[in-house]
Amino acid sequence: MTAEALRDASQGDGFTVRLASVTDFRRVAASVRDALGGLPGAPDDLTSCRLERLHFGGGIGPVAEYDMTFLVAGARERRRMFVQVPRDDPHDAFMTARTKVGRRLAEAGQSPAGRQRLVYLADIGAILRPEGLDERIDGLWLLAGGASFPRIAEAGPRPGWDAFETAARDGFSGRLLAHRLGKRAVLDLRAGAPSEAGPPSVIAKFYKRSTTKLAAIADRHARLSSGAFAGSGDVRVPRVLAIFENQRGLATDCAEGQPLGDIEGAAAAHAYHLGGKALACLHGARLDAPFHGPSDEQAMLSAIVSRVLEVDPVFEDGFRLAMAAVGRRRQLCQPFEMCLIHRDFHEKQVISDGERACLIDFDMIANGDPAQDLANFLAHLSLRELQTNEDMRNNVASFVEGYLRHRANCERENLEFHLSATFTRLASILAFSDRWRHLVPTLLAQAVDCPVTSSHVALAPRTKASNRRPHQV
């Protein structure tokens, strides 16, 4: 059990009740309506409230992500909101967080009263805050933009960053692309008057101020762009342009195009083919990175499922069967050629403009089993079919062809283990999604059955029974 899980358990029924409350959209909606006067813009009403996801980590406590729509001056305004459950006394945690937010905004020369604020939801003992407001991530103050860009690159500026700073002398704006409360945030920083010499925008990724991993992440990212992907022609990774040591962040150039999942029609097949090639290039790279094997994946998944069932035991039987299948398949895993793996590879991690593909997000890279990335991608496409009724078989085939043209296949037993584990993990995520919760039983059934497709056979031919042996990593 992790340290956070131990702290959660020590809080007793009070914490458990509050955590269950923030996953009930009706209770959250009622609490938010009572607090409308404290929200930015003083909305007249809350018209919709939908739980998207529950994160069990976080410095203060677990975080529920909500999609909320407010009525503001007669117009509907959609906002992504975080409802945070402090492990300790909720009101004390709220007061501490509010003080820290005010101090961070003041340090950045911004008025807390003029920006989005934290609100205490007293009846459920939780903190409500909008995305983009996080006292643990310093670089978020750049979202406000400015008349000129501050000099914050303390280490290793590249020519591309110097060009962006020059272009941004006449002003810049910031747009939030992603935010994991208390963990990290991704911003699109756009120059007000971009020059022809440099990019009009850069992607800045900031981490919590206590992180010790920035240097390692930046170094591995830079080595990838100058090593395995250098000269690959139609696949690449973003270049690291600058490192912000004091702000705990880094900047990269922008990936042109759209995520694979947004590409439709005839262009999709080629884009997925490039996605397969990009993953093969990553698997061919050689970098010093932590090891993460099947046993590590199983242990991590077990901790996740335990937390899910503590909050919501409705799907307990299904999760128990799925975890039993995961355990059986892990015992059958075969020896594998260790390589660099992404560990969070899905269709949104590849950006393509139709001619080239760019692989992004290397926070979790490790040395491990290539079957993990392949299974994660295939399981996400299976989920996409369930969500959209799209037929993804042609795109899957294109991806597999692109991968196998540049990389050898993997072990079937390992692919089946990682498919089973990924379906179970996706079910644990959707268990706290008002929109997709109904898919949980189907995902858990897939985790148990692990249906084999022609693409699975191509990626992972079955090991001969005479050569098969249990293998634990």
Side-chain angles (χ1 to χ4, degrees):
M1 183 177 275
T2 65
E4 286 179 351
L6 287 171
R7 287 202 304 271
D8 290 353
S10 70
Q11 301 303 312
D13 292 341
F15 175 80
T16 303
V17 169
R18 288 189 286 115
L19 184 54
S21 295
V22 303
T23 64
D24 182 343
F25 75 92
R26 296 178 184 84
R27 289 207 61 183
V28 170
S31 187
V32 171
R33 286 192 177 96
D34 290 340
L36 287 176
L39 292 174
D44 300 312
D45 195 11
L46 173 69
T47 60
S48 72
C49 179
R50 186 171 68 190
L51 176 64
E52 296 288 328
R53 186 168 180 176
L54 179 66
H55 296 284
F56 288 96
I60 297 177
V63 178
E65 293 185 12
Y66 271 87
D67 182 347
M68 299 184 183
T69 302
F70 296 91
L71 190 64
V72 183
R76 295 184 184 276
E77 185 177 306
R78 190 175 177 182
R79 301 177 187 175
R80 184 163 171 258
M81 305 291 288
F82 297 131
V83 184
Q84 191 168 29
V85 187
R87 295 185 179 89
D88 301 319
D89 181 271
H91 188 263
D92 287 350
F94 164 72
M95 296 299 291
T96 300
R98 188 173 68 172
T99 299
K100 289 181 178 180
V101 166
R103 184 161 59 242
R104 299 285 184 270
L105 293 175
E107 290 171 356
Q110 300 171 19
S111 169
R115 289 207 52 202
Q116 299 167 319
R117 299 184 295 274
L118 277 69
V119 174
Y120 182 53
L121 304 178
D123 57 328
I124 58 175
I127 302 170
L128 176 70
R129 64 171 88 202
E131 66 174 352
L133 190 62
D134 194 331
E135 66 275 17
R136 291 172 175 261
I137 301 177
D138 291 337
L140 282 169
W141 62 271
L142 291 170
L143 284 173
S148 62
F149 197 85
R151 298 194 66 84
I152 60 173
E154 302 96 354
R158 272 70 169 181
W161 179 254
D162 293 337
F164 172 77
E165 282 192 321
T166 299
R169 286 176 181 172
D170 296 328
F172 75 98
S173 60
R175 180 170 64 94
L176 187 65
L177 300 178
H179 181 196
R180 174 80 182 275
L181 186 64
K183 298 289 187 179
R184 56 191 172 270
V186 183
L187 282 64
D188 177 6
L189 300 177
R190 192 165 295 273
S195 66
E196 295 181 359
S201 65
V202 298
I203 301 299
K205 192 167 191 176
F206 295 98
Y207 302 85
K208 61 182 180 181
R209 60 167 45 196
S210 62
T211 188
T212 58
K213 300 178 181 179
L214 175 61
I217 291 172
D219 179 67
R220 290 170 188 148
H221 192 145
R223 287 177 182 271
L224 278 176
S225 64
S226 62
F229 286 81
S232 297
D234 49 6
V235 296
R236 72 179 189 96
V237 301
R239 292 179 300 132
V240 176
L241 303 180
I243 301 172
F244 317 129
E245 290 183 343
N246 290 338
Q247 304 285 334
R248 292 291 186 268
L250 57 86
T252 69
D253 62 359
C254 292
E256 300 295 332
Q258 306 175 76
L260 290 186
D262 294 342
I263 300 174
E264 300 177 347
H270 182 58
Y272 276 83
H273 182 95
L274 292 176
K277 179 180 178 180
L279 183 63
C281 286
L282 179 69
H283 286 176
R286 294 292 180 267
L287 289 181
D288 181 23
F291 176 77
H292 185 90
S295 294
D296 301 306
E297 189 67 13
Q298 183 185 9
M300 185 179 69
L301 182 61
S302 179
I304 292 172
V305 170
S306 294
R307 288 185 172 191
V308 169
L309 296 181
E310 286 174 6
V311 179
D312 186 353
V314 169
F315 300 112
E316 181 171 3
D317 290 345
F319 275 110
R320 299 298 183 200
L321 289 172
M323 287 303 297
V326 169
R328 289 194 301 272
R329 291 194 172 102
R330 201 268 298 168
Q331 292 290 336
L332 293 173
C333 279
Q334 297 296 300
F336 55 86
E337 181 183 353
M338 186 176 69
C339 68
L340 194 68
I341 60 174
H342 191 281
R343 286 189 59 212
D344 190 26
F345 185 70
H346 51 78
E347 69 272 29
K348 294 182 181 179
Q349 303 287 33
V350 179
I351 310 297
S352 177
D353 62 1
E355 300 296 328
R356 302 183 70 194
C358 186
L359 181 61
I360 63 172
D361 191 3
F362 304 103
D363 289 2
M364 296 175 62
I365 59 172
N367 283 307
D369 186 351
Q372 179 169 347
D373 285 340
L374 295 166
N376 200 66
F377 189 84
L378 294 173
H380 274 80
L381 293 189
S382 294
L383 172 60
R384 183 181 175 89
E385 286 186 321
L386 292 173
Q387 293 173 323
T388 66
N389 291 320
E390 294 180 57
D391 185 346
M392 301 298 295
R393 285 177 295 181
N394 289 338
N395 292 340
V396 170
S398 296
F399 167 80
V400 170
E401 180 186 11
Y403 181 84
L404 292 179
R405 184 169 292 186
H406 302 277
R407 187 78 182 170
N409 49 37
C410 64
E411 298 290 341
R412 171 77 71 82
E413 291 84 357
N414 299 35
L415 184 68
E416 290 179 349
F417 161 74
H418 286 293
L419 279 168
S420 188
T422 304
F423 281 128
T424 304
R425 178 167 48 81
L426 290 173
S428 73
I429 293 171
L430 298 192
F432 299 104
S433 169
D434 290 334
R435 185 180 183 188
W436 302 117
R437 181 179 168 89
H438 66 281
L439 296 179
V440 170
T442 302
L443 291 172
L444 292 175
Q446 289 182 325
V448 173
D449 299 335
C450 209
V452 175
T453 69
S454 58
S455 297
H456 298 167
V457 174
L459 277 173
R462 174 70 73 184
T463 305
K464 292 182 179 179
S466 58
N467 296 330
R468 194 178 304 139
R469 60 186 177 85
H471 178 72
Q472 299 182 21
V473 179

